[in-house]
Amino acid sequence: MTDWAGDAKNASTDGEFVRDARYISDRIVASVPAGSGPQPMPGTDGRVGELLWPAEPGRYRLMAARACPWAHRAVIVRRLMGLEDAFSLSLAAPTHDVRSWNYAGVYPDGLDPVLKIPRLQDAYFARIPDYPRGITVPAMAEIVSGKVVTNDFDQMTIDFIREWGPYQRAGAPDLYPDELVDEIESVNELIYPKINNGVYKCGFAGSQEAYDKAYRELWEALDVITDRLSDRRYLVSDHLTLADIRLFTTLVRFDPVYHGHFKCNRSKITEIPVLWGYLRDLFQTPGFGDTVDFVQIKQHYYIVHTDINPTKIVPLGPDLSGLLTPHGREALGGTPFGDGTAPGPVRPDEQPTAGHNPLYPA
């Protein structure tokens, strides 16, 4: 069985959802000369998952999907860092089958226009024939070979920030500064297992006991985060960091999907003043809300998860226009980009579909 992102999912004996976190963990880095081939990571034999590839503009394509929160992180970081000219963006259709994400209805003839493939699995199989794990987004594919280089969603975003410096825009913010890394990762030790993945533990629980445990952990963590954000504008420091991006992609999906579909229903985000203000603040910040497609998000979860929603009926609500209302969090101090600047407008060919986001009315 695969979950919505194509990650293999298993249930423990007590019905707890367990995410398969084994990835192709090659990295794209600045220390390998442009134009060269991949090199073994120090101390390895250079097998798949142990290679370093050069950060070279025009060489790679980011394979993503609007629906996926893990891919959404990569899309946000690419935009904030101004890497649109460094590597192109491929967006899959919002739904998939057991074989993988596909491009039906997205591009002419249902083919990715650069890699010329109908399904993401083709890029995985080009690298590893009969790839046995989940066909996941995000992934970075090498254009010439058509092969997936890495699908390690977390390390990928860190490397976008740290390894692509010469190709970033002027004014790109430092989302992962050395002096804040320990605190960012400390916060992530709460956010990833209990919030980002915690909503899935609720939604895919195979027993009442597993659901109850996941639900309690989710809300205990959200309470801690609410308290943390009650007197500070951002999770770490006085400007945006990767910690805020990691949390945003879950919070922005919470009321449209996780609250009802995954039974995470103690409260809606709109009913929690601190989190609702924080979410509006981020949504209205260039690079965040302008990357969201709520229709595709809902289509994905409600259509793909037939074990949870066998009718495949996609809800019309909730009303999301409130995301554009004043949030007042400027009073807490800080500035979104620190010493950096905001990114420019979204490229026309990368904008969410009109009518799928309050920033892009029909």
Side-chain angles (χ1 to χ4, degrees), residues 2 31 59 77 107 189 224 237 253 272 277 302:
T2 57
S31 57
R59 184 166 179 167
V77 174
Y107 300 117
E189 289 175 4
V224 170
S237 190
R253 288 163 172 77
I272 307 171
Y302 286 99

Side-chain angles (χ1 to χ4, degrees), residues 23-28 37-41 44-53 59-60 115 117 119-133 135 139-152:
Y23 302 105
I24 300 173
S25 52
D26 287 6
R27 294 179 58 197
I28 301 173
Q39 300 178 7
M41 293 183 187
T44 72
D45 295 330
R47 303 171 183 174
V48 172
E50 298 178 344
L51 295 172
L52 298 175
W53 299 67
R59 184 166 179 167
Y60 308 100
L115 298 180
I117 55 176
R119 293 177 174 276
L120 181 56
Q121 71 175 12
D122 296 322
Y124 277 82
F125 292 164
R127 180 75 189 277
I128 305 173
D130 299 321
Y131 181 73
R133 302 175 188 169
I135 307 295
M140 289 289 277
E142 186 183 37
I143 294 172
V144 171
S145 68
K147 297 177 180 180
V148 164
V149 171
T150 178
N151 67 334
D152 187 337

Side-chain angles (χ1 to χ4, degrees), residues 90-95 102-113 296:
S90 173
L91 292 169
T95 61
N102 62 73
Y103 306 101
V106 179
Y107 300 117
D109 301 320
L111 298 177
D112 176 279
Q296 289 199 21

Side-chain angles (χ1 to χ4, degrees), residues 101-224:
W101 299 90
N102 62 73
Y103 306 101
V106 179
Y107 300 117
D109 301 320
L111 298 177
D112 176 279
V114 175
L115 298 180
K116 306 299 183 184
I117 55 176
R119 293 177 174 276
L120 181 56
Q121 71 175 12
D122 296 322
Y124 277 82
F125 292 164
R127 180 75 189 277
I128 305 173
D130 299 321
Y131 181 73
R133 302 175 188 169
I135 307 295
T136 65
V137 287
M140 289 289 277
E142 186 183 37
I143 294 172
V144 171
S145 68
K147 297 177 180 180
V148 164
V149 171
T150 178
N151 67 334
D152 187 337
F153 72 92
D154 192 46
Q155 186 62 53
M156 187 187 304
T157 54
I158 294 171
D159 288 341
F160 288 176
I161 297 164
R162 294 194 148 193
E163 301 293 336
W164 287 83
Y167 313 110
Q168 294 167 1
R169 66 180 177 87
D174 189 351
L175 301 171
Y176 201 69
D178 289 339
E179 66 274 15
L180 298 179
V181 166
D182 288 346
E183 187 175 1
I184 290 170
E185 294 305 331
S186 176
V187 170
N188 196 49
E189 289 175 4
L190 175 70
I191 290 175
Y192 173 76
K194 296 186 177 181
I195 300 176
N196 297 148
N197 200 40
V199 294
Y200 291 94
K201 290 181 179 180
C202 290
F204 291 133
S207 70
Q208 187 68 49
E209 292 75 17
Y211 166 76
D212 291 352
K213 179 176 181 288
Y215 178 95
R216 287 193 293 268
E217 289 181 347
L218 168 67
W219 284 105
E220 287 170 0
L222 283 171
D223 286 344
V224 170

Side-chain angles (χ1 to χ4, degrees), residues 231-265:
D231 60 359
R232 57 197 302 168
R233 190 171 178 183
Y234 304 110
L235 282 169
V236 179
S237 190
D238 59 355
H239 58 82
L240 291 165
T241 65
L242 188 56
D244 300 289
I245 297 169
R246 288 166 170 170
L247 181 58
F248 172 78
T249 59
T250 296
L251 291 187
V252 80
R253 288 163 172 77
F254 201 94
D255 287 8
V257 175
Y258 303 144
H259 178 270
H261 186 60
F262 277 175
K263 308 178 186 71
C264 303
N265 59 356

Side-chain angles (χ1 to χ4, degrees), residues 4 25 32 36 47 98 115 128 132 224 276 312 324:
W4 65 273
S25 52
V32 180
S36 66
R47 303 171 183 174
V98 294
L115 298 180
I128 305 173
V224 170
W276 178 225
K312 300 184 181 181
L324 302 185

